[in-house]
Amino acid sequence: MPDAQQQTPDPGAPPPSSPQNPFADFPPPRQTVALRVVVADDNPVVRAGLVALLSGRADIAVVAEAADGREAYEATRAQRPDVVLLDVRMPGVDGISALPYLVPLAPVVMLTYSRESEVVQEALRRGAGGYLVHGEFTADQLVAAVRDIKHGRPHFTPTAAGALLAQLRGEGGGAAKGAAGVGAGRSGGDVSGLPDGLGEIDATANHQIMTSASSFAPRDAMTRANSPENLSQVQSDVAQSTYRARFQLSTREAEIMDLIASGMNNQQIAATCFISEKTVKNHINRIFAKLHSTSRSQAAAKWLGTAPGSQRGLG
């Protein structure tokens, strides 16, 4: 049977149509812009650990480091970051003194070992958007706080939350003092109750930290912190602090227990805390004894309050 005659395409005919893309109307993928962070801490080991921890996240970039309040201001003014992590006790210009000059430039969260209620309250009066005490948060909680602070959502670890509640209740005259402190001049209020002379440095006159500081006023972070939507988080943090206090872990043990609960192994914990793996194992042995646990999962369940019979709650 003869082959069918092959038809020659008509040069004037339109080209065959390709299948229509069903997703043509979708917008192009949005470019992710890294959240820019300045880390200020006079301890180079702590600073390096924070930089390593934050830089490991795809959406966070540490754009500058600082060892005191003056360097923090200079870096913030130059880089215009999204968030500043600020220690309290630093040489020269301390964190409390630097706060009123930093908050007009970027949201600031205190990240420190200082847990005194007077320091927490003064930091909030001067505009801090959050207060995190080392040993009371996990790596993931720190990252979440950095992301949230940028959008005005405050974060407090249990010690800071307790200090905030004390001020809300007016204990020790804190409420009246706070009302007088906001807008009471460049230093942010009465500093007579602060330890170690914190907040007493006139950063402009003594260190030339700012050329036009008088044009700025501290943000009233207490207004944000006192909002109803944040009180439930504060109450939850205080309940967590009360629940965990019964285990009587040291600050370092609590820090390591947080890292265990976040899923880190001994090598990762050692790198994060800048200690040896042997030291980590010694801490874990003591933690297991205090939590009456024989495994990491059992200890984590008790620490997080998810173990049967934990009876954790607001009561």
Side-chain angles (χ1 to χ4, degrees):
M1 186 174 180
D3 293 339
Q5 185 177 1
Q6 185 176 5
Q7 294 183 353
T8 304
D10 183 0
S17 59
S18 58
Q20 185 178 3
N21 182 358
F23 308 114
D25 57 342
F26 274 57
R30 186 173 57 181
Q31 295 294 327
T32 301
V33 179
L35 193 150
R36 296 160 54 82
V37 179
V38 167
V39 176
D41 195 300
D42 64 314
N43 188 325
V45 174
V46 172
R47 198 167 63 243
L50 292 172
V51 170
L53 180 93
L54 295 172
S55 299
R57 309 292 171 138
D59 63 330
I60 297 177
V62 177
V63 296
E65 302 176 40
D68 57 36
R70 177 176 179 171
E71 290 184 6
Y73 174 75
E74 292 174 344
T76 301
R77 192 175 184 184
Q79 298 291 337
R80 298 289 171 163
D82 298 300
V83 177
V84 177
L85 297 182
L86 186 66
D87 190 16
V88 168
R89 288 177 168 85
M90 295 184 290
V93 182
D94 61 78
I96 298 296
S97 295
L99 253 177
Y101 306 97
L102 292 171
V103 292
L105 304 178
V108 179
V109 56
M110 309 307 293
L111 186 61
T112 177
Y113 285 100
S114 300
R115 58 181 64 238
E116 301 92 334
S117 59
E118 296 84 0
V119 175
V120 176
Q121 293 169 9
E122 187 65 21
L124 295 177
R125 279 193 290 269
R126 295 190 182 209
Y131 199 105
L132 309 180
V133 177
H134 286 293
E136 296 184 356
F137 57 85
T138 66
D140 287 341
Q141 287 170 338
L142 171 60
V143 171
V146 169
R147 291 168 177 157
D148 284 348
I149 292 292
K150 178 181 183 294
H151 301 291
R153 294 189 289 269
H155 274 250
F156 306 95
T157 50
T159 294
L164 175 58
L165 280 182
Q167 178 152 357
L168 292 176
R169 293 167 178 159
E171 295 178 7
K177 179 181 175 184
V182 174
R186 197 166 50 202
S187 63
D190 179 11
V191 298
S192 58
L194 293 178
D196 302 336
L198 290 172
E200 295 179 352
I201 296 173
D202 185 336
T204 306
N206 293 342
H207 297 271
Q208 300 178 349
I209 191 174
M210 203 171 192
T211 57
S212 57
S214 59
S215 63
F216 296 106
R219 295 176 183 170
D220 184 6
M222 290 300 297
T223 301
R224 299 192 303 270
N226 295 354
S227 61
E229 57 268 26
N230 291 319
L231 290 180
S232 61
Q233 178 61 44
V234 171
Q235 290 174 327
S236 176
D237 288 340
V238 172
Q240 181 187 68
S241 178
T242 302
Y243 167 78
R244 289 180 173 179
R246 66 176 183 169
F247 297 124
Q248 298 183 332
L249 300 190
S250 68
T251 300
R252 174 63 90 181
E253 289 168 352
E255 180 182 11
I256 289 176
M257 189 60 241
D258 278 333
L259 297 176
I260 291 173
S262 72
M264 284 192 181
N265 59 34
N266 289 2
Q267 184 179 15
Q268 292 169 324
I269 293 173
T272 300
C273 298
F274 295 94
I275 56 179
S276 68
E277 287 190 57
K278 181 179 179 181
T279 301
V280 171
K281 292 177 182 178
N282 290 337
H283 281 302
I284 291 177
N285 288 336
R286 288 192 291 270
I287 290 169
F288 281 6
K290 292 181 179 181
L291 270 63
H292 303 288
S293 301
T294 57
S295 68
R296 300 169 85 93
S297 58
Q298 186 181 20
K302 290 185 177 181
W303 185 245
L304 298 174
T306 58
S310 297
Q311 297 181 349
R312 206 185 102 190
L314 297 178

